[in-house]
Every structure is written in C-alpha cells, then in structure tokens.
Amino acid sequence: MNPSVPKIVLLLFTLTLVGVASGVSEGNIKNPYENPNGTTILDMNESKTQQAIEPLIKKLGNEDIDSRKEARFALEEMGEEAVDPLIEVIDSENPEVRCETALALGNIGGQKAEKAIVNLLQDEDPKVRGSAALALGNARSQRAEKQLIQALSDKNERVRSNSAWALGEIEKAGSSSEEDDWKETLFSGDVEKEKIIEALCLSMEDNNSEVKSSAAEALGKLGGEKAEESLIQALLDEDGKVRRNAAEALGKTGDKKATEPLIKALNDEDRETRKRAIMALGELREEKATTALIQTLSDKDKEVRCTAVVELGEIGDQRAEKALINALSDEDPEVRNLVVESLGKVGEEEATGVLVQQLKDPDQKVRNMTVKTLVETGDRNTKPIIQALKDKNSDVKQCAGDILVGIGKPAVEPLIEALSDNDAYTSSTAAWALGNIGDERAIEPLIQNLSAENEETRLSCARALIEIGKPAVPELIKSLENQNKTVRKYIVFSLIEMGDERAVPGIAEMFKEKSGNSAEFTGKKSDEKIDQTLSKAVEEKDLNFRKEAAGAFEATGDSETEPLINALEADPQNIKKYVEASGVAPEDKKVPEKLLEALKHEESYVRVSSILALGGMREESSVEPLIEILVKDCNETKACAAFSLGEIGNEKVVEPLSLALKVDKYDNVKECSAISLGKIGDQRAVEPLIMALSENNSVKSCAALALGEIGNPRAVKPLIQLLSNEDPEVRRSSALALGAIGDQKAVKSLTAGLQDEDENVRIASAWALGNTGDATAVDVLNSAATDGNETLRCTALEALGKINDPKAIGTFEKALEDNNSGIRLSAVTALGEIKDEKATETLVRTLGDNNKEVRDCASNILIDRKEEAVELLTRGLSSENKNVRENSVFLLIDTGDKRAVKPLINYLKTNTRAQPETQENKT
C-alpha cells in the first residue's frame, strides 16, 4: 500500500481521539460525544473525512501517475465513505479520472460501485473501458458477467484481454451471498457458466496473443471439457505466452486427458512453457508423468531442471529416487539444493547414504539443506549418518553429530551401539549426542562406557550423564560400588556436576584410595604396560604411528630407549623398497649378505639401492665396504654412502667422512658427509666442520647444522660470523646451530637476527634465543611474540617459556586472548615452563578455552604441578566460566590431594546446575 495512506488514516484517528478527549475534559457527563453546539463527535469525524476526500478526488486527475495512484490508494482505504464522492466524478471529462475512479470503486466493491463501473464498459475511451473491465474483475462482480462477455467483442484488444481475465476472476470467487437488487433491471448480467466458457473459447481464436493468454488463464479457473479441449489446442499456438498460460491452466483443470499434450509440451522451444507444463503435470499427479519429468532433469535450462526437481518431490513417486540421486551431480548449486529437498520427500534408505555424502557439497546452502533434510528423514536409516562420524572431513563429522541430535529418539539405539566403536571421535560424539537427546535408555550404556579405553570417550560419557541429569542419579549411585577406580572417578565427577549430595561419601572414599596409589589417575602406566606398547609400536607398519611413538619415547629422555627410537624412525616401507630395487627378496634370510654383494653390481642404481637399504637397516658389517665406496665410486653413489654411514653411526667412519668433507670435489658428497658427522656427534669432527664453513653456501649450511648437533663451544665464533652471510639459508642454519649449542655469547647477534629481512631467519633466531636461556632476550622476544606471522609468534612464545622469566607472563596472557588457537597453545606450552604462582593461575583460567587441545595442554601441566595447583584449582570452582569449573573439578579429583575433598564437597552442595528438559519436552 502507498505510504501516504496510513498517514491519512492516522490523522483521522487522531482527530477522533482529540475530539473525544475534548468532550470528556469539558465534563459533559450526559453525552461525552456531543459538543456544546449539539453536534456529535461522529458528525464532526464524518465532516473531517469528507474534507479529506475532496483533495484526493481532485488528485485523481493529476498529470503525475504516481500522484494519481497515491490518491486512489488513499480513497480505497476509506472504503464505502468514498463510494458516493467517486461516483459523482465518474462522468468526468478527464479520462484519467474515469480510469482511476473505476479502479478505486472496483477495489472497494459493493453493488452501488459495480453499477457505476458497468456503465464505463460503454465509455468512448478504450483505456477507460479496459480499466472498467479490470475493476469488475477485482470486484468479483457476477452481476456484470453478461456485459463482460459482450466486452469480449470490443474493438480494442486491451478491453478484450481485461474482460477475459475478469471473467476468470469472477468464477474463481464463486457465487455471491449478497442480496441482488439488480434483478429485473437493465443491468442484470447473470449467465450460465457454459455460456462464459463458450465465449472464452471463442476468444481463444482472437488474433491478439494477449487476449488469448487472458482467455486461457480464465478457462483454467472455470474448467470443464470444452475449456480443456480449447486449452489443449492452445498448446500449439504460435505465441509463447499463450502456450504458457494454456499449460498452466490445464494443470488447474485437473483433467487427466491433458497429460499427453502436456508431456509433448515438455519439448517446447520456450523455456517458460516447459516450466509451466512441468508444474501442470505435477498438479495432475498422473503416473506416466513421472517418467516424462525424469527426462527433463537433463534439460539445458537450469530453471526447467529446478522446476522438474520440485514437482518430482511433490508427486512423491519413488521411481524418481534414482534419477534425483543422479541429479545431485548437477553443476548448478540451486538445482542440487532442490534435489536434496525432494529426496527427503521421495527417497528411502538408499537416499540417506547419498545425502550424507552431500554434506561435502562445495555450496554452503546445499550443505545446510542436506542437514535439514537428514534431520527430518534420517530416522529411515541412521547407519550412514553414524558412519559419517568417521569421515576425514571434520565439517562432515560435526554435521553428522548435529543431525543425530536433531533426529532425536529414533537415533538412540544406533548411538548406544556406536558408544563401543573403536574410533574415538565416533564413540565420544555418540555420547555427546545421547546427552543432548536426553533419553533414559542411554543411562546404563553410558555408565558402562565410563571404563572405555579412550579418555575422550570416558569424559564424553560422564558429560552426557550430567546432561541427562536426575534420571541418571540412581544408577550412578549404584555404580559407585564398581571395583574399577577410573569408573568411580568419572561417576563422582558426574554427581558433583549434578550437585547431588549422595556423591559425598564417594568423594571421601576415593581420596583415601588415591593417597595410596595415584598412578591410575595421573595417566602413568606400569613398566609392563610400557613394554607391551613398545613391542606393538615396533611391529606397527604405519609410518606416522611409528614416528609419533618414537617422538613420545624420545621425550622421556631415557637413554635406554635410543635403540628402540632408531628402530621406530626407520621407514620399513622404504627399506623394503630399496631391498627389492637391489634385486634381493625382502623375506630372504640372507638379506644383509646379498645386499653387500649388490654393492659391486655394475648398475649404479642397484648399488645406490643397496647402500640406502644397508643404511636404513643400520648394518654394521657394511661399514668397511661403504667407506671404500666413499673413496672410489661415482659422485651420486659416494653421496649415498656418506649418508648411510651417518645412519649406521659407527665411530670408525668419522675420519673417512672428515676426509671426504675436506677433499671431495662433489658438493653433494661434502653435504652428506657433514650431515653424517653431525649425526654421529664425535668431537673429532669439529675442526673439519669449521673448515667447511668456508665452502660454498650449501656445504656451509650443512656444516653449520652439524656443528649445532655436536654442540662444541669452539664453533660459536665462526657461526656468529655466518649470521651476516648473504644467503638466508646459511644465516638460518647458523642461527639454529647457535641455538643448539646454547652459548650466551651469541645472544647479541641472534637478537639482531630477529630483524633479519628473511622470515625463516627471524624464526630460527627466536628459537635459538630461547635455547640460550638468557633473560636479556626477554624484551625482544616479547615484541616478536606480538608481531609477525603465526610461526614466528609461536616460536617466540615457546622461547620465552624456555628462558623461564616471569616478566613474560603478561605476553602469555595477551597471547591467550588471540583468536588463533595455535598461538594460544604455544602460550600454554610456554607457561608450563614457568614455575610461578601467577603462571599457574593463568593456566587455571585457560581451562575455559574453547579449544580442546589448549585445555588438554593446560590440564596436563596442572596435573604435573599438583602441589601448587590444588589451591588455585579450588578457586577455579567459583569461576564464572563453566569449562573452568568443570575442568577444575576433574583435575582436583585427578590430583588425589586430600586438600581438594572439602572444596569439592562445598562445590557440590552449592552447585545449582539446572537440570535439562526431559526428552518429551525436547521433542
């Protein structure tokens, strides 16, 4: 509606209120609506309305079309009060006034208005006659049917078109219940429906396409056999608009006879006609229409494909399922989005699995629709959704969890089954989903899985029980008798978070047990368990696992594990590949002997393969032959021999490698010799390596790194000099070497390295400064930790942790507010190096971080320093952050420290955690 209309109505309403208020304030108790002159307020309002109408009537003749429309809309809002004033100007000499008057009266409606409009069908101006026809259609005037039929023969095509349209609108409105005072009058226009259809069918032969289009639209509303025949014929009309309206109208008639002609129209050259034919077939719901619509899924036009997808979904014929599944590969995201929605209506079990894959769709809207559809229909087949929890794509896994929660109760049984899945993410997400669903069937399985091997699963089960709330308490209390201490720990944790006082005896009992043996709760395993793990790790074929295991054992700092670390770091797949390339069968019991023989093979690639295999196997018997090759063979073979001698690590090779570093003419041989000398770590190699710092840049870099590995302070001065080398790789290697040596003489030069133009040099300098442990570097590292790229900032933070100066805590606190979780993780790692109460307090606050890896890192550090952490964790129980409170509870239980008993009991008693809604309320 035009924005001026409400202003007029508001004005009149305001005037009314002002008048009423005036009457009451004057104390006229007898009639508060009568003014002192005897005129009622209603009379005054009527007068005001008339005054408002007058200027609006005048504006109907304005030259500006927008002004005319604005006035007409305002008059229409006034309703019946405007009818008489409008009728008074219906014979205006201005045709624009007559047009606007007709349209206004049509929208107001009523017998008086309709009688006035009918007269205008005889107006000399065709524009006025056309407006009159439109007005009668808007008024749904059945009394004017006869006059409108006559107007179908008007010489003006707009009048004929509008009259056809009006007849359709009148029929759509149905019969009038108003009393008719037109009977026996000149204007009586009621006619039988068949006569209207007959007249409109004649209009379908009009020579004007607009007239035919309007007639087709009207015939669709009237229906009937004769109308359908005419519309079917119109599907062949030369004008596209006529064919479109005919197709749409046939869908509204509901006659199955139109199916075949509409199927033929699916091949129409006009896109809009094809779309209307598809929609019409969808309305007819004819069985053979499904097959035809499936074919249109490959239409060249996107909008036609979209329409076909929607209608197939509405029809609901399962025969369309496979075709719709194929359409999920459509290049257009809008089509795919609609396909997903339609599959939700048509698809069965197979469709669920396909839709799960659509969670990877590149378009966000398609993925959102997929989630919505799977929530609505996933109960048909939850198996593929559960399976999606193992998907490599993290977004898919997260969506799968949300979908299962959305499905609700029908997903409970499959989720309970998934609790025992070997995949940690699957089992922990299943627990999370069960907690959110809140179904009591999950209570017992969740308690049983508190003893799961995976810690994340155990914790997720505990949190799920907390979410279920009071219904879980009886089973939890009963399970406190469980002999498994880990299970009891998680039960107590759940009961504390629920605020149930029945956990108090369990808390006291648990801390008595823990004082005797805390290994179970601190994550430390027995020696026997470690031995079993080591054996399994060595047998493991997965290289990534072997590397992770090697890193873990290296972190223990136990020298006895060094041979095991070497075995883990060797790539069994590469060794096997080299053995095979040497012409030796890997399963042969005499592999070493045959590899030694292959060292003499005439083909260099065989010799190289056997050299690398012997190095990977760390075969001591190959040392002498490899030394011989280092002196005599071709350049590439000598380089491989130098490398493998370093892998074997025998001290006998130091002199041959030092010699090769000094005299060999091939740079690769020198580089590999330097690297191997660094690995062996023999002090005899220091001087040859220092001399090699005058070689070309690639050899310099390798020699510098080797000197860092050996760690002799004699190398510090020449390495400092290399920090000004023109090659950034040499500067980087020198900084790393100086950091490995850790001599504080290098601090000044390394500080300057933080300003190096090369990013990698700056990162290496930051790392090196941390290794020196010199507190004078704190300020420059503080700056580096707040400026630069992520890697530099993380390195600077960890360097500050190694220096262990409390002055850096402010920098760590600032870093913990960073949006980047990697920065926050480095800050927490660094805080773990600083044994300071403020650092520990900051770590407790970090238990509320939204990143699990950050929280876990903080938790492990706090467990390690439990003596000073208990009091601060106790304060964490009153934190406003839920994660801080929850993790503080868990860690206090984990410490086994008796000082935690009373605070935990007090926390339990004051815990007013609201219980979740029951599942009935949720669903």
Side-chain angles (χ1 to χ4, degrees), residues 680-735:
I680 295 166
D682 195 293
Q683 297 295 324
R684 290 175 292 167
V686 172
E687 288 305 325
L689 286 167
I690 289 174
M691 290 175 63
L693 295 178
S694 60
E695 296 280 350
N696 68 34
N697 287 336
S698 62
V699 178
K700 282 178 184 172
S701 292
C702 294
L705 292 171
L707 286 166
E709 289 284 341
I710 296 171
N712 192 303
R714 282 185 291 161
V716 172
K717 187 175 180 180
L719 286 170
I720 288 174
Q721 291 172 353
L722 282 184
L723 287 174
S724 58
N725 189 279
E726 75 283 355
D727 188 324
E729 186 56 36
V730 173
R731 300 199 300 275
R732 174 181 173 274
S733 299
S734 301

Side-chain angles (χ1 to χ4, degrees), residues 1-9 66 68-79 103-104 107-108:
M1 188 55 63
N2 191 287
S4 67
V5 175
K7 293 179 183 176
I8 293 168
V9 176
D66 291 331
R68 295 201 303 270
K69 284 183 179 179
E70 184 178 323
R72 170 159 59 87
F73 293 154
L75 288 163
E76 288 170 7
E77 283 288 325
M78 292 179 180
L103 292 171
N107 284 326
I108 295 171

Side-chain angles (χ1 to χ4, degrees), residues 673-838:
S673 297
I675 290 168
S676 290
L677 286 168
K679 284 183 182 177
I680 295 166
D682 195 293
Q683 297 295 324
R684 290 175 292 167
V686 172
E687 288 305 325
L689 286 167
I690 289 174
M691 290 175 63
L693 295 178
S694 60
E695 296 280 350
N696 68 34
N697 287 336
S698 62
V699 178
K700 282 178 184 172
S701 292
C702 294
L705 292 171
L707 286 166
E709 289 284 341
I710 296 171
N712 192 303
R714 282 185 291 161
V716 172
K717 187 175 180 180
L719 286 170
I720 288 174
Q721 291 172 353
L722 282 184
L723 287 174
S724 58
N725 189 279
E726 75 283 355
D727 188 324
E729 186 56 36
V730 173
R731 300 199 300 275
R732 174 181 173 274
S733 299
S734 301
L736 291 173
L738 287 165
I741 296 170
D743 196 306
Q744 293 185 353
K745 293 174 187 173
V747 170
K748 185 177 180 181
S749 300
L750 290 170
T751 299
L754 287 175
Q755 306 301 319
D756 195 281
E757 62 184 16
D758 185 86
E759 186 173 86
N760 290 325
V761 176
R762 297 197 297 274
I763 292 168
S765 299
W767 177 83
L769 283 168
N771 279 16
T772 65
D774 194 312
T776 60
V778 169
D779 290 339
V780 290
L781 286 170
N782 276 335
S783 298
T786 57
D787 188 24
N789 73 359
E790 179 185 350
T791 307
L792 176 59
R793 293 178 65 195
C794 289
T795 307
L797 287 166
E798 290 172 18
L800 285 166
K802 291 176 186 175
I803 293 173
N804 193 9
D805 192 316
K807 285 193 297 182
I809 292 177
T811 301
F812 299 142
E813 288 177 330
K814 186 176 180 181
L816 287 171
E817 297 173 2
D818 199 279
N819 291 330
N820 188 313
S821 60
I823 302 272
R824 301 200 303 276
L825 183 60
S826 292
V828 171
T829 304
L831 280 165
E833 300 289 334
I834 298 178
K835 305 296 188 289
D836 178 271
E837 183 177 343
K838 191 175 180 183

Side-chain angles (χ1 to χ4, degrees), residues 534-653:
L534 296 179
S535 300
K536 288 180 181 179
V538 176
E539 294 168 4
E540 176 61 51
K541 303 298 181 190
D542 185 276
L543 182 59
N544 289 329
F545 174 83
R546 293 166 65 90
K547 286 182 177 177
E548 287 175 12
F553 293 130
E554 193 170 7
T556 64
D558 189 344
S559 60
E560 293 182 7
T561 64
E562 190 171 340
L564 179 64
I565 292 168
N566 291 335
L568 286 167
E569 288 180 339
D571 183 349
Q573 298 302 319
N574 274 345
I575 294 172
K576 181 181 177 183
K577 180 174 69 178
Y578 295 140
V579 170
E580 289 173 340
S582 304
V584 180
E587 63 275 7
D588 195 317
K589 293 182 180 179
K590 295 185 177 181
V591 169
E593 292 89 334
K594 291 188 176 181
L595 287 172
L596 288 169
E597 290 175 15
L599 292 176
K600 301 173 183 177
H601 200 281
E602 59 182 10
E603 293 286 352
S604 62
Y605 81 87
V606 175
R607 298 199 301 279
V608 166
S609 298
S610 58
I611 289 169
L612 294 173
L614 288 164
M617 293 166 61
R618 293 171 171 76
E619 182 57 48
E620 290 282 346
S621 63
S622 67
V623 170
E624 293 298 336
L626 289 176
I627 290 173
E628 187 176 345
I629 290 172
L630 181 62
V631 177
K632 295 181 178 179
D633 216 309
C634 64
N635 291 332
E636 289 296 343
T637 311
K638 287 194 292 184
C640 290
F643 176 81
S644 288
L645 286 168
E647 291 290 290
I648 295 168
N650 192 302
E651 291 183 359
K652 288 194 295 184
V653 304

Side-chain angles (χ1 to χ4, degrees), residues 658-678:
S658 297
L659 183 62
L661 176 62
K662 183 177 180 180
V663 303
D664 202 281
K665 295 180 180 179
Y666 189 55
D667 286 344
N668 270 10
V669 176
K670 292 186 175 186
E671 291 163 12
C672 290
S673 297
I675 290 168
S676 290
L677 286 168

Side-chain angles (χ1 to χ4, degrees), residues 234-375:
L235 288 174
L236 304 174
D237 195 274
E238 62 182 14
D239 187 270
K241 187 173 181 182
V242 176
R243 299 198 302 276
R244 292 173 211 160
N245 282 14
E248 184 176 353
L250 282 167
K252 292 177 180 175
T253 63
D255 196 313
K256 307 292 185 185
K257 285 190 298 184
T259 301
E260 287 296 339
L262 285 168
I263 288 174
K264 289 179 182 177
L266 295 176
N267 297 315
D268 196 284
E269 63 183 15
D270 178 59
R271 175 188 74 180
E272 198 60 35
T273 301
R274 299 199 300 278
K275 283 174 60 182
R276 303 279 181 92
I278 290 169
M279 290 187 282
L281 287 166
E283 289 188 46
L284 293 176
R285 300 288 193 274
E286 180 67 16
E287 190 173 323
K288 58 177 118 175
T290 300
T291 306
L293 290 179
I294 285 172
Q295 292 174 355
T296 62
L297 291 174
S298 57
D299 193 281
K300 62 184 178 182
D301 187 88
K302 177 195 86 172
E303 290 188 24
V304 173
R305 299 197 302 277
C306 285
T307 308
V309 168
V310 171
E311 293 305 325
L312 283 169
E314 290 300 318
I315 291 171
D317 192 327
Q318 289 180 13
R319 290 178 300 161
E321 182 178 14
K322 287 191 176 178
L324 286 169
I325 287 172
N326 291 334
L328 284 171
S329 59
D330 195 283
E331 63 183 12
D332 191 275
E334 188 178 345
V335 176
R336 298 197 302 275
N337 192 61
L338 292 169
V339 171
V340 168
E341 190 174 8
S342 287
L343 275 172
K345 299 172 183 176
V346 174
E348 291 297 317
E349 288 189 9
E350 182 185 354
T352 304
V354 175
L355 286 173
V356 166
Q357 293 305 309
Q358 212 61 29
L359 292 170
K360 300 175 185 177
D361 194 281
D363 187 84
Q364 182 65 49
K365 287 183 179 179
V366 178
R367 296 197 297 273
N368 291 344
M369 177 56 72
T370 303
V371 170
K372 179 177 179 290
T373 302
L374 283 170
V375 167

